[in-house]
Amino acid sequence: MIEAQPTTHPTTLRRAVTDDESRAASRHWWDLDADDYQQEHGTFLGDVDFVWCPEGLREADVRLLGDVRGKRVLELGCGAASAARWLDGQGADVVALDLSAGMLRHAQQASDRSGVRVPLVQADALALPFATSAFDVVCTAFGAVPFVADSAAVMREVARVLRPGGRWVFSITHPMRWIFLDDPGEDGLLAVHPYFDRRPYVEQDTDGNPTYVEQHRTLGDRIRELVAAGFVLTDLVEPEWPEGHDQIWGQWSPLRGKLFPGTAIFVSYLP
């Protein structure tokens, strides 16, 4: 699932949050936003397709997961699970997991439309309800990783459920985008935030309760999280903005995409 990009709002700030606050905010946000998100982005993502990022990079073209035929695959933060259904069509044995019941409702509706059905699981990425070494591949397109306070724990959970030799591939907003406002226009070209400020972006209600939380880590942080969990990083993909692609998605736009990366895809495996 590719993340929504919050807009500047009077009740936004940078402050520390707990895992419980992040979990509650994410579940509530995506349950409320699921309909709008799918209305805006559902056509771009498709019912049966694996799109890694707003730049339009597709797994069918880049094969970052390798040959998935006969492989047991888990999609974290699956949203409407279009990637899971595509993987099913490639011969994988797929499970799609998300925290949000609202997004899983859309996953069920897309399954009904497409006729491609994969198991859907509502669960937290910090406590995966699967046995150790249950999967050959775990993947996510903008799901889970940016929305938990302890993303290093997500890496450890993924390592736990992966078999030796298994792949873990995930895409996130490129960490350098943290420097800029979430603006697809010229104002979004001005650096305003310190890259090394790791306090999360938080939207909160009038009582101070977080309603949307998005975490930031540097590129080095992400690599250290992977290595600490036992992974070997084999590639870091920074998709370029393709010619002829004029669709704006939140802060992703042709203007910004031609100047600096918007997405980072980490490709790793468990020895």
Side-chain angles (χ1 to χ4, degrees), residues 107-235:
Q108 184 60 59
Q109 292 171 358
S111 293
D112 293 341
R113 287 193 301 269
S114 66
V116 181
R117 304 183 186 281
V118 299
L120 303 175
V121 177
Q122 184 179 12
D124 182 2
L126 291 171
L128 297 175
F130 306 109
T132 297
S133 302
F135 295 96
D136 301 294
V137 177
V138 180
C139 60
T140 184
F142 283 76
V145 176
F147 303 109
V148 297
D150 189 359
S151 51
V154 174
M155 306 298 169
R156 293 192 295 271
E157 267 295 87
V158 171
R160 182 185 66 79
V161 302
L162 267 178
R163 295 166 183 156
R167 293 197 191 194
W168 166 222
V169 185
F170 64 94
S171 62
I172 57 171
T173 302
H174 198 290
M176 74 167 292
R177 287 286 178 106
W178 194 252
I179 302 169
F180 305 97
L181 296 175
D182 288 331
D183 188 327
E186 292 187 358
D187 287 345
L189 303 180
L190 180 66
V192 295
H193 300 300
Y195 177 73
F196 298 104
D197 181 358
R198 294 167 174 84
R199 293 175 300 168
Y201 170 96
V202 179
E203 294 182 9
Q204 62 184 33
D205 61 23
T206 55
D207 294 324
N209 299 309
T211 57
Y212 180 94
V213 178
E214 186 173 334
Q215 301 284 339
H216 167 62
R217 301 290 184 270
T218 67
L219 281 172
D221 291 338
R222 292 295 181 209
I223 292 171
R224 282 185 287 274
E225 287 179 348
L226 281 166
V227 172
F231 289 100
V232 175
L233 181 69
T234 60
D235 201 358

Side-chain angles (χ1 to χ4, degrees), residues 29 55 91 155 166 186 189 241 247 257:
W29 171 274
E55 290 87 351
M155 306 298 169
E186 292 187 358
L189 303 180
W241 194 267
Q247 183 170 340

